[in-house]
Every structure is written in C-alpha cells, then in structure tokens.
C-alpha cells in the first residue's frame, strides 16, 4: 500500500514532537542526569528514551501500518528495512551532547521518508520553544513564541560574505580545507539539526558536513530545508541526500545550502 504524506499529519507531528519535548525537559530540569554509553560510545540519557517512547507510541496510533525507525531502536535487519517504501525516521533527542552540557541546542526530529526521499519533517527545540516543520510541495513554517512564520514568505538577500554553520561538538578535518576554498566567510557553531534550520530561516547560507552523521540526524531538517527551496547534496556527486538505500545508516559527507544562496550562484 502506497502512502502519500497527508497534510493533516503535519499538525499531528508538531504536537507529538512537543509532547516528546516535554518529556525531555522533565529530565533536563532534574538535578541528576543518568548518562549511559551505547555500543558506539555515544551517550544516551533517560531523556532520549522517554522521548523515543512518546514518539513511537504516538506514531503507532497515527499510522499503525507505517514502520518506524528510531536511533534508540535501530537494530532492524537490512533484509526487512530494504522492503520499506515509506517509514518514519526519528531521532528522539538530537544533540545529546548539547543536552548534557545544558546549552539548549538539542532537538526532537521526526521525518517521513517516501521511496528514499525525506518528504516531511518536524524539528522541535524545546529549550528554545521553536518548532520548524514542513513537507515537500506543501511548504515550511516556524512556530515560536512570536507566532507562526511562513518560511517561504521570508525575503532573504544573500550576503556578500557567506555565513557558514558547523557542528559545536564534532569538528572534522575536511572542514578546514573546505573553508579555505570558500574564501572569506563568517563561521557560527551550533548543535544538533538547528544548523539546517538556520539555513531554512535565512539566518545562514551554507552547512558543510564533512564528517560522519547518521540518517536520523538529518532527515527531518533536510525535509524542512528542501520545503523552502534549499538543498542537501552528497559532497562527492551532488546528488540529493537519500535514505534507506543501503545497509549502513551513515550518511555520506554532504553540503547543505539555503535557497537564497543557491539563487545567487
């Protein structure tokens, strides 16, 4: 059975992400933070697991027939996964290191994948009370304390000096070489998928990720960015970053650009 993403799901996903954010903030507010190490030595907290539980249970009610892949339940055999045409891809707490540092730069990511494309996504930053959400062919929006902003209606002029965003916790050797080829630029470091969101909001121009990421790290924010005309492409071949097309869940190196920057080129 083939599923086209339904517009009414977008509002549902925003609510699911916000409830997950509330679960995260309960842990964030506690004095003691129980931190465990996963098999790859990356950290996991009670907040990751609480958010995972909220999202998986809610998606099972919303679309019981669509499979779910989460960072916190990723051991799904490739033989099973490669049969999927559509599925939900979630990172219950993106930016766990930022969460542990208590700097507020962490997000809840929920994406809908259709035939390898990130079709729709919600990125909610509970500490910032900002929710970015969008779907290809429908548009993208930012919900915050100031109300709802249609990201496609923002008038952004590309600056003469590119504003580059990079990871706060993962600095890659290849980035320095890339920045040299770019020439004069302004650099901002920020955690989690908020880097894509700054591009979508017109507050940054380029996000070069020349280091390892997993598919759940990028899908939701890529959908938001592409819903406002931005691009996320493989750094080697210029093809759109895709999903569930191989056994490994690691992404290739990629370059993300805002629409206004692409228009300038």
């Amino acid at each position: 059975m083939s599923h086209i993403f339904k517009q009414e799901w977008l509002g549902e996903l925003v609510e699911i992400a916000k409830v997950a954010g509330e679960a995260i903030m309960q842990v964030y507010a506690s004095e003691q933070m129980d931190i465990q190490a996963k098999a790859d030595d990356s950290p996991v907290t009670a907040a990751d697991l609480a958010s995972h539980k909220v999202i998986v249970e809610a998606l099972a009610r919303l679309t019981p027939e669509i499979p779910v892949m989460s960072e916190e339940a990723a051991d799904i055999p490739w033989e099973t996964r490669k049969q999927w045409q559509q599925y939900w891809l979630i990172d219950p707490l993106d930016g766990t290191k930022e969460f542990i540092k208590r700097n507020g730069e962490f997000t809840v990511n929920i994406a809908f994948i259709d035939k390898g494309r990130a079709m729709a996504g919600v990125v909610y930053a509970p500490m910032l009370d900002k929710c970015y959400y969008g779907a290809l062919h429908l548009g993208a929006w930012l919900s915050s304390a100031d109300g709802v902003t249609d990201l496609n209606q923002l008038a952004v002029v590309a600056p003469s000096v590119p504003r580059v965003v990079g990871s706060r916790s993962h600095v890659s050797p290849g980035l320095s070489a890339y920045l040299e080829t770019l020439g004069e630029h302004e650099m901002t470091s920020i955690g989690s998928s908020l880097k894509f969101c700054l591009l979508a909001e017109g507050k940054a121009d380029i996000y070069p990720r020349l280091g390892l990421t997993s598919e759940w790290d990028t899908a939701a924010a890529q959908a938001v960015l592409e819903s406002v005309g931005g691009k996320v492409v493989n750094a080697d071949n210029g093809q759109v970053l895709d999903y569930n097309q191989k056994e490994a869940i690691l992404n290739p190196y990629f370059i993300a650009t805002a629409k206004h920057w692409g228009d300038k080129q």
Side-chain angles (χ1 to χ4, degrees), residues 25-136:
M25 292 309 292
Q26 287 181 3
V27 178
Y28 195 73
S30 64
E31 291 184 14
Q32 288 286 320
M33 200 178 285
D34 183 26
I35 304 165
Q36 306 290 328
K38 293 195 283 192
D40 63 357
D41 283 336
S42 63
V44 62
T45 70
D48 296 76
L49 302 176
S51 176
H52 165 83
K53 186 173 187 290
V54 166
I55 298 169
V56 170
E57 290 179 357
L59 290 176
R61 290 191 296 270
L62 180 66
T63 56
E65 71 282 14
I66 299 178
V68 177
M69 184 175 186
S70 165
E71 179 178 8
E72 305 313 329
D75 54 346
I76 300 166
W78 172 235
E79 287 302 313
T80 299
R81 204 162 38 89
K82 70 181 181 182
Q83 308 296 327
W84 295 352
Q85 293 297 300
Q86 292 83 23
Y87 69 105
W88 298 106
L89 179 57
I90 65 176
D91 189 341
L93 175 49
D94 183 32
T96 301
K97 290 182 178 178
E98 314 310 327
F99 176 83
I100 292 167
K101 293 174 189 171
R102 298 182 186 270
N103 68 12
E105 296 173 359
F106 51 87
T107 58
V108 176
N109 296 350
I110 307 174
F112 180 76
I113 311 297
D114 179 61
K115 299 181 180 68
R117 283 299 304 275
M119 292 292 292
V122 171
V123 177
Y124 177 52
M127 190 70 182
L128 308 178
D129 192 24
K130 285 187 168 186
C131 188
Y132 300 83
Y133 56 101
L136 300 186

Side-chain angles (χ1 to χ4, degrees), residues 136-203:
L136 300 186
H137 314 303
L138 291 178
W141 298 266
L142 164 60
S143 172
S144 68
D146 298 326
V148 176
T149 302
D150 184 338
L151 295 176
N152 276 294
Q153 296 301 314
L154 295 176
V156 182
V157 178
S160 56
V161 175
R163 299 164 297 173
V164 181
V165 284
S167 174
R168 193 178 290 287
S169 296
H170 307 273
V171 178
S172 63
L175 180 60
S176 298
Y178 177 86
L179 294 176
E180 278 187 26
T181 65
L182 198 59
E184 186 184 356
H185 63 276
E186 297 174 3
M187 185 75 188
T188 300
S189 296
I190 189 168
S192 72
S193 54
L194 288 168
K195 292 179 281 291
F196 292 95
C197 297
L198 289 179
L199 298 178
E201 209 177 343
K203 292 183 175 178

